[in-house]
Amino acid sequence: MADRIVDVWGTRTPHERGTEWPTRVDQHLAEGVREEDVERWVPSACVLCSNGCGCDIAVTNGVMVGVRGRATDAVNHGRLGPKGLYGSWAWANSPERLTRPLVRENGRLVESDWETAMGRVVDVSRRLLAEKGPLSHGFYTSGQLFLEEYYTLGVIGKGGLGTPHMDGNTRLCTATSAAAFKESFGTDGQPGTYSDIEHCDAIFLFGHNMAETQTVLWARILDRTRAQDPPKVVCVDPRRTKVAEEAVRTGGVHLAPRVGTNLALMNGLTRELFAHGWVDDQWVEHHTLGADSLRETVEPYTPEEVARVCEVDAEDVRRAARIFGESRRVLSTVLQGFYQSHQATAASVAVNNMHLLRAMIGRPGAGVLQMNGQPTAQNTRECGADGDLPGFRNWDNVDHVRDLAALWNVDELTIPHWAPPTHAMQIFRYAEQGSIGWLWISATNPAVSMPESARIRKILQSRKCFTIVQDLFLTETAEFADVVLPAAGWGEKTGCFTNADRTVHLSRKAVEPPGDARSDLDIFLMYADAMGFTDQDGAPLVKWRSPQEAFDAWRECSRGRPCDYTGLSYEKLSGPSGIPWPCNEDSPEGTERLYADSVFNTAPDQCETYGHDLLTGGTVSPTQYRALAPGGRALLKGAAYEPPHEDTDSDYPLLYSTGRTVYHFHTRTKTARSAKLNRAAPDAWVELSPSDATQLGIDEGDLVRVESPRGAIEVQARIGHVRPGTVFAPFHYGTWDLDEPARAHPSRQANELTMTVWDPVSKQPYFKTAACRVRKIAASGRPAPAPAHTASAPAPTRPPGGEGGADAVTPSREHADAPERPSNPPRSV
Amino acid sequence: MTHLATYVGLLHHSEQALADSLRTVGQGHAQEADVFHVCETLARLSDDHMRSLTPIAHRYGEKHSGEDVEEPERLYADGIGTVREGAVGLLRDLQDLCLLATLVQTSWTVVDQAAQGARDRELLELAQQASAHTSRQLTWLNTRMRAAAPQALLVAP
């Protein structure tokens, strides 16, 4: 197979509209392992992005040695991306794995055993419960665990302890997706399906660099755009990404709005739909509420006004709107460029609005994909391990809470429901203030991934809050913990998870976890047992021990809700393909598209929220909502554009935006332990536009200092494809793989600069709203360590400084034959 | 000059007090990032109302407390000069803002009624829009207080 570091999306298999996406099986085995050496192929799905590709894990001698895409799976038709191929299992055999619990003694973490470690967790928990009650407890979990684990955690937190302080790092990546669904359609739940790609005439990607974040889905799009009858692509992104290039190639449009102005652009596109009569008035009349008010809201946003605010060409706005208005089937996708940017929920809701105005929802090719960032984020949302109640229940609906209390057999007052469950940024604020004194962090690394790193480090460092970290490795966050619990990872435990188009996969245990590491489910159960949580009859609150029993319990919790799993079982999920929910008696084989009948989940007894003011986040009361009488109609909601919370000035003249590269996932806990992926993007960098670089006297590869009012980083500069006036930094790089001297250097961590600010509705932090300044520190004589085959490629118009030039950006030879195990990349200084 | 002039003056004063107080509370509790930013957004709504009142004041006049105004001088509320500290302090400051916003809202209600009696379309539109905005301000204040109250009253240091 081709080197998928270079050939990121693999060989094209073009096909015509309306025909099935051809199968192409991708496989990668560890060096020296032949196919006939593989003893077992264990069914699973990939967890290195939200796409959720079906795959099988190769096992030899009790060790994971490879991975192969599943040909029969509806999600990927056999394909896998570079992260899945090279990063799925390389980490598992790392000598750096946590294999024993650690506890803090005299200021240092020392090896311990489960009895001691869990003993401390429970002692502090009991003491705080007695002294201060359940509001002293907080949980910060992940988009990486399995459904069974989230549900168990949700029951422990909401039914056992009774604390509202539980959220996932999904708050950082996908909260806006859920919030936008709830505001428009009444509940969470992806309306569209990936197979809409095969049917559409146009694809709009809003703030979504799919070519790097979901490579297999992008391959699916390329197989249509490279066929005889390609759909037009429209891309909204401040960088000239591969997606943007494809937009230009297909006769679509690349709109690169000034960072922070998405809503102004969306209001302009929406206004064009009204102005040109592209609105399906009859359908809108029958199936939506709020069209008149929306029309009034967007009226001031003429193409010229959008051009002024967003600094784009008015004609491009008109062209993009025309493509949306004149295509018969439009598929839209949305991701972090909207979710992590100013007015996130309002801008994402605007995408839903455009589809509703054109009646483009619930039919083949006409759909919305508000994407997720992580593989199991959908389950964090469904199971109540984030700021929601399990089963998309409405915290403000007494009947929903009562229903849950009956299912768990607990007093309904135990389940906190006076306000929405506490969001992650507020949980950390309570820890900072000292009112949360016990914080359990599982499978996430806030020390690197949360905004304003210095502040988060200070909170984690403070011994005011007893911190438990449960992970595969000693992450930057784990280094601050009071207790560290070693967890089993993917392939080392069994469980289900649901991807961004609602497809549920069962991932079987392939190998044993190392040492004393245990599955997250077992760890949560250990805590529940030790605390002795009981129901109203004195029986154990958590009535399951195995993943399968946990799944069955969850199935009951989902009964009758939009995410109905009652038709699914471990047996049913052992078939050739994943299955999309809802799957129940009415839809025994699952449901490809939601809202095919144009009936939405907005009935007051059904909906997950009564809605919010998109400008402030103020909640609509149950009485106000009932007065609207939405009765299954979707809600069109708009908001005026407001300037971002931090704009440029003479001290900080540039905008700062963080993002991703194709070769890494999150804080590289797994991906940097794959030698291939690590070599492809070994160290941090920042991207500058050629014009800004010229003005600042910066050449390709120069070491630069980037500062915001909150902090600074020093990394090499890539003169690349970012919009003039904007600086782009990848957020993946922390300190765990740096040696001591390198740690003493100025930081390379992108979040040193970001600000503590979040969306008023989704509470998702804004990682793309900050002002910064850049200056040269020194020439390096070599190109930046940025990838060359992606949006991070050097700008073609300006030869990079130093020797070599653009094509010299290849992995250094000394690592070329390195085995697939951890390696510490050199610091870029 | 009618008594409406007195109410134009009262509105001007109370909107100004509300805008100033929102900014004082937002900046005083800047560590609560959402309070900092949303208070500024809400203050801007009040700024807009004050601007919109200018043509109305030209037509009806504007009387302020102390300018022979006998009533309703007791309604003139002082804004929030300094913020209180900590989680409970925030809660009380939000409550104060609620009182100020409620005064603004009832004043708009009274003016709205008068505008109907006077068949003054311009004033009526302004009163209705401003009243809706004041509801948004109050809704957010209530939402924030509800979420903060248990933590502040039960566990805050």
Side-chain angles (χ1 to χ4, degrees):
Chain A
M1 202 182 66
D3 178 3
R4 294 287 300 282
I5 296 293
V6 179
D7 186 8
V8 173
W9 305 281
T11 315
R12 291 280 56 74
T13 50
H15 66 110
E16 291 186 359
R17 185 155 65 79
T19 63
E20 189 163 325
W21 188 31
T23 296
R24 181 194 87 196
V25 175
D26 297 340
Q27 174 179 311
H28 178 66
L29 297 173
E31 223 172 285
V33 176
R34 293 164 307 170
E35 202 162 333
E36 52 269 35
D37 298 332
V38 176
E39 289 165 9
R40 288 184 297 136
W41 289 96
V42 180
S44 181
C46 181
V47 288
L48 287 173
C49 81
S50 66
N51 205 49
C53 297
C55 66
D56 295 294
I57 308 169
V59 179
T60 297
N61 295 325
V63 179
M64 292 190 272
V65 293
V67 67
R68 177 178 70 195
R70 193 162 331 127
T72 54
D73 200 274
V75 170
N76 53 321
H77 294 219
R79 289 163 190 76
L80 289 174
K83 283 195 288 287
L85 287 168
Y86 305 133
S88 281
W89 43 272
W91 54 271
N93 311 323
S94 162
E96 296 171 356
R97 280 293 293 278
L98 288 169
T99 56
R100 311 252 324 255
L102 310 176
V103 297
R104 191 166 290 279
E105 288 287 352
N106 303 317
R108 292 175 55 104
L109 285 171
V110 296
E111 281 208 350
S112 179
D113 53 50
W114 277 104
E115 200 184 332
T116 309
M118 190 51 81
R120 292 194 184 188
V121 172
V122 170
D123 283 350
V124 179
S125 184
R126 282 186 192 285
R127 179 171 57 74
L128 275 174
L129 280 180
E131 285 172 10
K132 294 183 161 184
L135 301 187
S136 58
H137 283 51
F139 294 86
Y140 184 50
T141 187
S142 178
Q144 309 280 325
L145 304 186
F146 290 159
L147 173 159
E148 296 79 354
E149 296 165 336
Y150 294 132
Y151 183 56
T152 303
L153 189 62
V155 174
I156 289 170
K158 293 174 170 70
L161 287 165
T163 175
H165 308 322
M166 180 181 290
D167 201 3
N169 64 7
T170 47
R171 185 66 62 185
L172 278 49
C173 73
T174 188
T176 302
S177 162
F181 287 146
K182 289 186 231 178
E183 295 299 324
S184 299
F185 310 127
T187 66
D188 195 348
Q190 187 74 267
T193 169
Y194 295 161
S195 70
D196 283 333
I197 292 168
E198 276 91 86
H199 301 284
C200 65
D201 318 309
I203 305 179
F204 279 63
L205 296 102
F206 295 101
H208 185 188
N209 183 9
M210 189 195 281
E212 299 196 49
T213 54
Q214 284 90 8
T215 57
V216 171
L217 203 58
W218 182 242
R220 195 167 184 160
I221 288 180
L222 286 178
D223 283 345
R224 285 287 303 112
T225 57
R226 300 303 170 105
Q228 292 303 309
D229 53 349
K232 282 198 171 77
V233 174
V234 175
C235 168
V236 178
D237 198 307
R239 288 201 297 164
R240 189 73 155 193
T241 59
K242 295 289 167 187
V243 175
E245 287 175 14
E246 201 66 5
V248 174
R249 217 190 59 81
T250 56
V253 186
H254 174 208
L255 291 159
R258 181 178 162 83
V259 173
T261 65
N262 289 334
L263 185 60
L265 174 66
M266 294 311 296
N267 283 349
L269 293 174
T270 308
R271 184 185 181 278
E272 286 288 287
L273 296 187
F274 282 113
H276 291 272
W278 289 321
V279 174
D280 185 335
D281 291 319
Q282 206 181 349
W283 191 91
V284 166
E285 166 85 30
H286 278 96
H287 300 292
T288 70
L289 275 176
D292 291 342
S293 159
L294 178 63
R295 183 174 194 146
E296 209 173 293
T297 303
V298 301
E299 184 50 36
Y301 300 86
T302 59
E304 285 68 27
E305 172 65 4
V306 173
R308 186 186 68 78
V309 174
C310 305
E311 296 170 11
V312 295
D313 187 338
E315 197 46 43
D316 284 347
V317 176
R318 287 196 181 89
R319 280 177 56 223
R322 181 168 293 279
I323 293 172
F324 202 100
E326 293 185 342
S327 298
R328 290 174 58 208
R329 306 175 195 83
V330 179
L331 174 64
S332 291
T333 76
V334 193
L335 199 60
Q336 310 307 356
F338 272 40
Y339 298 168
Q340 294 183 341
S341 198
H342 185 57
Q343 297 191 288
T345 303
S348 303
V349 160
V351 177
N352 297 342
N353 288 344
M354 288 180 69
H355 279 263
L356 290 167
L357 291 172
R358 297 271 298 124
M360 290 219 193
I361 195 152
R363 60 187 166 86
V368 179
L369 293 170
Q370 301 269 0
M371 295 297 293
N372 301 344
Q374 294 179 83
T376 78
Q378 189 60 45
N379 307 107
T380 321
R381 275 148 58 177
E382 291 161 9
C383 297
D386 68 351
D388 295 294
L389 292 184
F392 299 158
R393 286 175 175 81
N394 184 347
W395 60 268
D396 210 6
N397 182 329
V398 182
D399 292 330
H400 283 194
V401 176
R402 221 165 261 162
D403 189 32
L404 207 52
L407 180 77
W408 295 343
N409 190 21
V410 298
D411 182 339
E412 66 189 61
L413 276 179
T414 307
I415 302 171
H417 62 280
W418 54 80
T422 316
H423 61 92
M425 298 299 286
Q426 189 67 51
I427 289 176
F428 276 79
R429 175 65 184 145
Y430 286 151
E432 186 177 30
Q433 287 177 308
S435 70
I436 285 181
W438 181 99
L439 179 63
W440 189 333
I441 298 168
S442 45
T444 186
N445 192 9
V448 180
S449 56
M450 278 191 142
E452 206 177 338
S453 298
R455 171 174 176 263
I456 298 296
R457 274 194 300 270
K458 210 169 139 197
I459 295 169
L460 292 168
Q461 246 161 2
S462 152
R463 301 264 72 87
K464 262 196 303 193
C465 180
F466 181 83
T467 311
I468 306 138
V469 172
Q470 174 173 326
D471 214 309
L472 306 173
F473 292 94
L474 194 70
T475 60
E476 290 87 341
T477 303
E479 287 181 31
F480 294 127
D482 292 283
V483 170
V484 179
L485 304 175
W490 178 86
E492 298 169 345
K493 59 181 186 177
T494 293
C496 291
F497 55 94
T498 306
N499 76 350
D501 84 342
R502 292 173 281 105
T503 303
V504 188
H505 283 105
L506 170 60
S507 176
R508 294 274 187 186
K509 178 174 174 176
V511 299
E512 290 298 326
D516 291 343
R518 297 197 187 179
S519 77
D520 298 276
L521 177 63
D522 285 343
I523 299 171
F524 295 144
L525 289 173
M526 202 186 309
Y527 170 69
D529 287 349
M531 294 297 288
F533 296 125
T534 54
D535 66 15
Q536 291 190 121
D537 298 323
L541 173 71
V542 183
K543 297 176 174 59
W544 49 89
R545 312 306 302 179
S546 69
Q548 188 161 359
E549 289 166 4
F551 183 86
D552 292 346
W554 159 248
R555 210 166 49 175
E556 278 315 302
C557 184
S558 75
R559 186 178 291 279
R561 296 299 300 158
C563 52
D564 195 330
Y565 280 68
T566 48
L568 294 172
S569 64
Y570 271 27
E571 193 191 349
K572 178 119 186 162
L573 290 168
S574 300
S577 176
I579 299 169
W581 62 247
C583 180
N584 50 23
E585 277 184 7
D586 296 336
S587 311
E589 299 311 315
T591 308
E592 210 175 9
R593 289 174 193 84
L594 302 183
Y595 314 128
D597 56 0
S598 306
V599 176
F600 300 90
N601 297 332
T602 51
D605 299 330
Q606 170 82 346
C607 68
E608 189 179 0
T609 179
Y610 298 125
H612 301 81
D613 181 342
L614 297 186
L615 183 70
T616 66
T619 52
V620 177
S621 76
T623 314
Q624 289 168 324
Y625 188 81
R626 281 182 190 278
L628 276 177
R633 284 177 290 179
L635 300 160
L636 293 163
K637 290 188 181 178
Y641 162 74
E642 292 259 311
H645 297 305
E646 184 169 286
D647 211 339
T648 52
D649 58 22
S650 53
D651 281 343
Y652 299 98
L654 297 165
L655 288 167
Y656 181 76
S657 179
T658 73
R660 288 144 192 81
T661 177
V662 67
Y663 303 111
H664 283 303
F665 193 58
H666 280 197
T667 58
R668 302 172 307 127
T669 314
K670 285 178 172 176
T671 48
R673 289 178 166 98
S674 152
K676 273 178 189 286
L677 295 174
N678 192 41
R679 278 201 304 271
D683 201 352
W685 70 93
V686 290
E687 291 170 31
L688 300 173
S689 72
S691 55
D692 290 330
T694 304
Q695 205 187 338
L696 293 162
I698 292 168
D699 278 321
E700 168 69 32
D702 286 354
L703 180 68
V704 297
R705 184 172 174 85
V706 188
E707 293 172 323
S708 84
R710 291 153 296 279
I713 52 172
E714 288 187 11
V715 293
Q716 280 178 265
R718 159 58 40 92
I719 316 304
H721 296 265
V722 70
R723 179 188 205 290
T726 306
V727 178
F728 173 88
F731 86 106
H732 308 290
Y733 300 87
T735 54
W736 66 261
D737 52 340
L738 299 178
D739 50 23
E740 282 305 321
R743 283 189 183 209
H745 287 294
S747 179
R748 60 175 178 172
Q749 191 169 309
N751 276 317
E752 305 287 354
L753 279 71
T754 50
M755 61 192 299
T756 300
V757 56
W758 55 83
D759 185 72
V761 180
S762 70
K763 314 292 193 278
Q764 184 156 352
Y766 293 157
F767 292 91
K768 301 173 191 288
T769 308
C772 72
R773 61 183 171 220
V774 183
R775 68 182 160 89
K776 178 172 169 171
I777 301 284
S780 76
R782 56 199 163 86
H789 309 290
T790 64
S792 302
T797 50
R798 190 171 184 276
E803 55 202 67
D807 293 332
V809 189
T810 49
S812 62
R813 290 197 63 81
E814 55 181 316
H815 290 296
D817 299 305
E820 289 182 332
R821 61 179 181 77
S823 59
N824 292 340
R827 208 51 192 86
S828 62
V829 187
Chain B
M1 195 179 279
T2 65
H3 290 292
L4 190 51
T6 313
Y7 264 85
V8 171
L10 176 64
L11 266 174
H12 209 137
H13 183 273
S14 358
E15 287 278 21
Q16 187 69 57
L18 178 58
D20 292 346
S21 303
L22 279 163
R23 291 194 166 99
T24 302
V25 171
Q27 285 156 19
H29 293 279
Q31 291 301 307
E32 313 295 334
D34 60 335
V35 173
F36 176 71
H37 292 296
V38 178
C39 279
E40 174 57 33
T41 303
L42 297 183
R44 284 204 290 263
L45 292 177
S46 290
D47 294 344
D48 287 346
H49 300 164
M50 283 182 276
R51 263 194 301 277
S52 309
L53 268 174
T54 310
I56 308 293
H58 282 146
R59 288 198 282 118
Y60 292 98
E62 178 173 350
K63 271 195 189 173
H64 293 280
S65 176
E67 298 170 357
D68 304 327
V69 177
E70 287 173 9
E71 278 292 338
E73 88 276 8
R74 278 183 299 150
L75 288 179
Y76 276 76
D78 291 331
I80 301 172
T82 52
V83 297
R84 303 173 177 93
E85 283 192 0
V88 179
L90 172 65
L91 205 55
R92 295 202 180 129
D93 287 338
L94 292 173
Q95 260 186 302
D96 268 351
L97 288 173
C98 267
L99 292 175
L100 290 169
T102 306
L103 173 61
V104 170
Q105 188 162 54
T106 51
S107 303
W108 280 117
T109 304
V110 167
V111 169
D112 178 301
Q113 296 295 98
Q116 295 193 54
R119 302 175 196 173
D120 183 337
R121 220 175 279 281
E122 186 192 5
L123 181 57
L124 187 60
E125 256 174 44
L126 172 61
Q128 286 176 350
Q129 196 193 33
S131 180
H133 285 166
T134 314
S135 293
R136 288 173 98 166
Q137 293 170 321
L138 276 163
T139 298
W140 180 81
L141 291 167
N142 271 294
T143 299
R144 192 62 176 82
M145 280 195 301
R146 283 170 56 137
Q151 198 74 11
L153 299 188
L154 299 175
V155 244

